[in-house]
Amino acid sequence: MAWKEVSRTAIDIKKHPDQEYIGEYKGFEKIQTKIGEQTIYKFIDDDGNRFNIYGFTNLNRAMDLIAEGTLCRITYLGTENVQTKFGMKDVHQVRVEIAIDETSEQTPELEAF
């Protein structure tokens, strides 16, 4: 029997702009760090490999809307200087997409029937 160590590390996608991370969302874990609570999102890719992504404000807001078991594609987009409650700040931006079943989507015309 062979053994493989389970990695508890997470990817800091902010270091990998424009790289897509695709996997089935498996939930999240909260950990304590020197700067406070941190969220880590858990995924499994098509090959069965597990990977984790460190959360940040805009990613956290998007992931709050996604159910476990959903296939996701997450892409870090860089920072954008936006107005915050603390003034103008560079804020990390992310695109979070979910897979949809195209065969079950109805056109607006069909929804009326």
Side-chain angles (χ1 to χ4, degrees):
M1 174 184 305
W3 295 90
K4 179 180 176 184
E5 184 175 352
V6 176
S7 174
R8 289 189 36 107
T9 61
I11 302 165
D12 184 356
I13 64 172
K14 297 184 301 285
K15 295 180 180 178
H16 307 279
D18 300 317
Q19 182 173 337
E20 295 178 345
Y21 294 91
I22 300 173
E24 182 181 338
Y25 178 48
K26 291 299 193 180
F28 65 92
E29 173 183 1
K30 299 274 187 177
I31 63 169
Q32 286 297 322
T33 68
K34 292 183 223 173
I35 59 171
E37 189 173 75
Q38 174 78 48
T39 303
I40 297 177
Y41 296 99
K42 301 175 182 186
F43 299 88
I44 296 179
D45 68 16
D46 284 343
D47 296 325
N49 298 314
R50 296 180 179 273
F51 65 95
N52 302 317
I53 297 177
Y54 284 114
F56 52 91
T57 302
N58 281 335
L59 179 56
N60 295 345
R61 289 178 181 158
M63 294 305 296
D64 280 345
L65 304 173
I66 298 176
E68 286 186 35
T70 302
L71 182 62
C72 301
R73 179 168 60 186
I74 299 173
T75 310
Y76 178 68
L77 303 174
T79 60
E80 183 178 334
N81 195 264
V82 298
Q83 182 65 45
T84 71
K85 64 182 177 183
F86 303 108
M88 295 299 288
K89 299 282 183 187
D90 287 336
V91 176
H92 296 286
Q93 303 297 312
V94 65
R95 179 185 308 119
V96 177
E97 301 167 285
I98 60 171
I100 55 172
D101 182 2
E102 295 177 21
T103 60
S104 67
E105 283 196 304
Q106 296 180 352
T107 62
E109 299 81 24
L110 295 176
E111 290 176 359
F113 292 101

